[in-house]
Amino acid sequence: MGVTCVCQVPVAEGKSVQQTVDILHKKLEQLGAVKQGSFCVDCETYHATGNVSGQPSKLLYVMHNSETPLSCLALFEGGPCLIADANFDVLMVKLKSHFQNSKAHKVECRGSRYRYCDFLIKVGTVTMSSSARGISVEVEYCPCVVPGDCWNLMKEFTQSFLGPSVPELPSVFAAKPEGLFAPADSVDTMTQYLELFNKLRKLQIPGSNVR
Amino acid sequence: MRLHSMTSSLSASSRETAKMADVVNVGVNLDAFSHAISGIQALRSSVSRVFESLKDGMKNRETLEGREKQFIAEFQDNLQAVNRDLNELERLSGLVGRPSESHPLHNSGLLSLDPVQDKTPLYSQLLQAYKWSNKLQYHAGLASSLLNQQSLKRSANQMGASAKRRPKVQPSTLVLPPQYVDDVISRIGRMFPDMTIELFRPNGTSAVLLVTLGKVLKAIVVMRSLFIDRTVVRGFNENVYNEDRKLDIWTKSQYQVFQKVTDHATTALLHYQLPQMPDVVVRSFMTWLRSYIKLFQSSCQRCGRFLQDGLPPTWRDFRTLEAFHDTCRM
């Protein structure tokens, strides 16, 4: 577990989502990366019921990552987060009276996983209710634990296969450039995924009140 | 039952100490030793007599009383015999003395207990290898002092004494007191604020250092008195201990970048050599290792890029400490 950066790749002009993903795969294989299976990150949204009227209800996001299959993450956007056992989903079912699942807003990101030297690259298609909304690329540099140290290195690597479009330093890291990226919990990675999912959700549903 | 096991373990250990006495010849009274061994045998036979008489039970006599009396008398006699033999054994074991504690090879001296000497002559080969490496170190020291003179004369008259007259003294740098090694290492550790050095002695007097460099890497350095023997470099988030909670000095890093750094570190410890002043060597090695604090931040001085084949610049020049890719170094 090292420093992870999740960024969104725009769909190539005149091509479909699947074709862009294929182009990325080919570029990675040209670089010398080895395919190592697949990955899946998903996110379910729960509305908190029984709130003070007039205030928008808080949204609870429950996320899973195939990298850590035995745990799941529950977080409020910008708020506290909890790392729990996989049985947390069952608990949420029992808490139906307090948290309602909005099944229409389930977001999933699936794709293949590549390994190149000490880098782990995951190229995935973000789908919401079985319609592809965008492409996500997650790059992880495993040996390093301080994001401030290796950001330039990761940027150079990402540019080598994504092209010259410069990914920005994720906001999660801006807060703690010298800090230790706690490898045991994947909070920072999942927060980045959540931001990406929310961005993609807003893109396709402009003007909707449901966040 | 306990008496039995105690005497059997006593005899086994006395046999072992007899063997060790072959190797470490000092302070053992061999005569009292053989007496002690026969004393053990006498004790064992009296103990087995006790159990036999118990097993046989009461002998056939006219009256029940007579039988009981006879049985008790016999039992008492046997126990007294055991007591006598045990006291004799204790007295003899006091005379035997202890084998010398100062085996130079510590735990490896126990290798001599292997009975199959002709098939696995490990111990004798180990001793030979040790003596050979000591001699090598000594000759290297002599050679370095000769070469450092840089005299222009063709014949070196000062060292003209023949080999027989040269003193056959062990080089003093190989047998340094552990306290001195501790002091040197702690002084070097204090020199650099971002590097912490912890010293362990898991096996005998050889020090094993755990060097933590900032949040970048952890290096395990195995020493032999003040000379660096080998080193393993692993990532900051990798495990340095194995299941026994001891330092794992063998497993390679799981990351390619640190495997490369390990290779470079091995090259460095071969490069920094000064037989007469080993503490200078350790200091130079640590200074070189400290340059890795910016392992992920520096770009290569030659090609200017960060990555080459997925690796950051892992080579540090021995004199200038500049960062180069492994393929870019001059």
Side-chain angles (χ1 to χ4, degrees):
Chain A
M1 288 293 286
V3 179
T4 319
C5 163
V6 178
C7 52
Q8 186 198 355
V9 177
V11 182
E13 284 182 21
K15 297 224 161 70
S16 73
V17 169
Q18 187 56 42
Q19 284 172 329
T20 320
V21 169
D22 287 337
I23 293 174
L24 282 174
H25 286 175
K26 235 184 289 206
K27 275 210 199 130
L28 278 171
E29 272 158 22
Q30 250 175 10
L31 206 54
V34 173
K35 185 159 170 181
Q36 273 191 351
S38 60
F39 80 102
C40 171
V41 175
D42 62 61
C43 169
E44 291 169 3
T45 322
Y46 289 82
H47 296 271
T49 57
N51 256 355
V52 180
S53 57
Q55 271 192 1
S57 59
K58 287 198 92 173
L59 290 175
L60 175 70
Y61 300 101
V62 176
M63 306 184 70
H64 304 89
N65 188 349
S66 58
E67 209 67 24
T68 53
L70 293 176
S71 39
C72 81
L73 195 77
L75 56 139
F76 289 105
E77 191 164 6
C81 77
L82 163 81
I83 305 170
D85 202 27
N87 292 326
F88 189 72
D89 296 327
V90 181
L91 189 66
M92 287 309 286
V93 170
K94 297 244 192 279
L95 289 174
K96 244 193 298 219
S97 48
H98 294 277
F99 286 102
Q100 279 193 340
N101 191 355
S102 51
K103 295 210 173 34
H105 287 118
K106 175 162 176 174
V107 185
E108 237 185 32
C109 175
R110 275 181 196 278
S112 355
R113 190 170 176 265
Y114 283 87
R115 184 161 199 111
Y116 174 61
C117 195
D118 295 317
F119 287 93
L120 212 55
I121 309 114
K122 297 181 195 150
V123 180
T125 322
V126 181
T127 52
M128 184 159 150
S129 27
S130 56
S131 70
R133 295 295 179 89
I135 305 172
S136 79
V137 167
E138 177 193 331
V139 176
E140 179 180 349
Y141 187 52
C142 311
C144 184
V145 291
V146 183
D149 279 356
C150 65
W151 176 246
N152 290 325
L153 201 135
M154 285 179 66
K155 207 162 62 167
E156 189 179 301
F157 177 68
T158 327
Q159 281 174 348
S160 71
F161 70 94
L162 276 187
S165 57
V166 178
E168 285 168 3
L169 184 74
S171 52
V172 201
F173 298 148
K176 39 166 178 168
E178 301 306 322
L180 202 54
F181 181 86
D185 68 57
S186 43
V187 175
D188 292 331
T189 319
M190 301 311 261
T191 322
Q192 291 181 57
Y193 266 111
L194 186 62
E195 278 175 21
L196 177 71
F197 291 161
N198 283 339
K199 200 162 66 165
L200 284 173
R201 232 194 294 239
K202 284 192 194 122
L203 269 183
Q204 296 282 31
I205 329 169
S208 163
N209 275 337
V210 181
R211 275 188 268 120
Chain B
M1 277 305 150
R2 247 203 230 161
L3 257 175
H4 230 287
S5 53
M6 188 180 83
T7 50
S8 53
S9 66
L10 255 175
S11 52
S13 61
S14 69
R15 250 176 272 140
E16 277 182 21
T17 40
K19 276 206 197 145
M20 266 185 26
D22 285 339
V23 181
V24 196
N25 242 321
V26 196
V28 175
N29 186 352
L30 286 177
D31 208 27
F33 212 73
S34 52
H35 285 307
I37 291 183
S38 37
I40 288 176
Q41 288 171 337
L43 180 62
R44 287 187 81 171
S45 53
S46 46
V47 166
S48 37
R49 231 177 290 137
V50 168
F51 286 117
E52 263 184 42
S53 77
L54 279 178
K55 172 190 67 135
D56 289 340
M58 294 194 280
K59 303 249 170 55
N60 200 1
R61 287 283 177 273
E62 256 79 49
T63 60
L64 180 65
E65 241 186 67
R67 269 188 269 172
E68 284 179 355
K69 251 200 229 170
Q70 218 256 338
F71 181 70
I72 288 172
E74 217 184 297
F75 192 56
Q76 270 180 341
D77 283 338
N78 287 337
L79 284 181
Q80 275 168 3
V82 168
N83 206 10
R84 245 199 334 267
D85 290 332
L86 191 60
N87 289 335
E88 181 69 22
L89 184 62
E90 277 180 10
R91 182 188 70 86
L92 283 172
S93 63
L95 289 177
V96 162
R98 304 172 63 91
S100 161
E101 293 286 336
S102 63
H103 6 114
L105 293 178
H106 287 273
N107 288 342
S108 49
L110 296 172
L111 270 179
S112 62
L113 300 177
D114 187 352
V116 189
Q117 268 303 91
D118 44 356
K119 285 219 181 116
T120 52
L122 269 178
Y123 186 64
S124 43
Q125 284 180 344
L126 187 65
L127 278 183
Q128 279 174 2
Y130 192 74
K131 284 188 206 147
W132 180 84
S133 79
N134 277 359
K135 236 195 235 179
L136 187 64
Q137 202 98 34
Y138 175 61
H139 286 304
L142 284 178
S144 81
S145 61
L146 272 179
L147 290 171
N148 282 339
Q149 284 171 11
Q150 292 180 336
S151 63
L152 295 172
K153 292 190 223 160
R154 272 172 168 255
S155 60
N157 278 328
Q158 292 137 322
M159 296 303 288
S162 64
K164 287 190 208 140
R165 285 212 238 143
R166 230 180 278 144
K168 292 225 187 245
V169 176
Q170 283 295 337
S172 55
T173 46
L174 261 188
V175 195
L176 287 169
Q179 191 52 42
Y180 180 68
V181 175
D182 286 350
D183 287 338
V184 170
I185 300 294
S186 55
R187 238 181 295 141
I188 294 177
R190 278 195 293 270
M191 262 170 64
F192 304 117
D194 45 14
M195 193 158 83
T196 55
I197 306 184
E198 284 170 60
L199 196 140
F200 299 88
R201 280 182 209 278
N203 310 305
T205 52
S206 300
V208 177
L209 310 176
L210 175 63
V211 183
T212 312
L213 189 63
K215 293 192 180 122
V216 179
L217 59 85
K218 287 187 187 157
I220 293 177
V221 181
V222 181
M223 322 255 310
R224 189 180 158 206
S225 92
L226 260 188
F227 295 102
I228 303 181
D229 230 9
R230 58 182 283 272
T231 166
V232 179
V233 178
R234 291 200 211 112
F236 189 73
N237 51 1
E238 284 187 76
N239 204 5
V240 271
Y241 297 99
N242 56 17
E243 297 99 32
D244 302 335
R245 309 280 185 83
K246 290 171 93 175
L247 271 185
D248 186 359
I249 60 177
W250 298 104
T251 325
K252 286 202 290 198
S253 169
Q254 58 182 195
Y255 302 123
Q256 288 190 24
V257 57
F258 289 117
Q259 286 175 10
K260 259 283 178 319
V261 175
T262 305
D263 292 339
H264 296 328
T266 313
T267 319
L269 68 93
L270 291 171
H271 176 264
Y272 293 116
Q273 290 277 6
L274 210 58
Q276 313 292 349
M277 291 182 283
D279 45 350
V280 174
V281 169
V282 179
R283 205 169 300 211
S284 337
F285 179 76
M286 290 304 173
T287 314
W288 178 86
L289 190 65
R290 186 175 172 254
S291 65
Y292 280 97
I293 188 95
K294 293 199 185 285
L295 173 63
F296 301 118
Q297 300 172 33
S298 350
S299 58
C300 173
Q301 293 290 335
R302 193 157 176 223
C303 66
R305 306 178 64 222
F306 282 99
L307 290 174
Q308 180 95 344
D309 300 330
L311 292 170
T314 50
W315 177 260
R316 295 289 179 276
D317 189 74
F318 292 132
R319 269 171 307 144
T320 58
L321 296 183
E322 288 171 341
F324 293 99
H325 285 123
D326 195 28
T327 44
C328 292
R329 55 177 160 135
M330 326 277 184

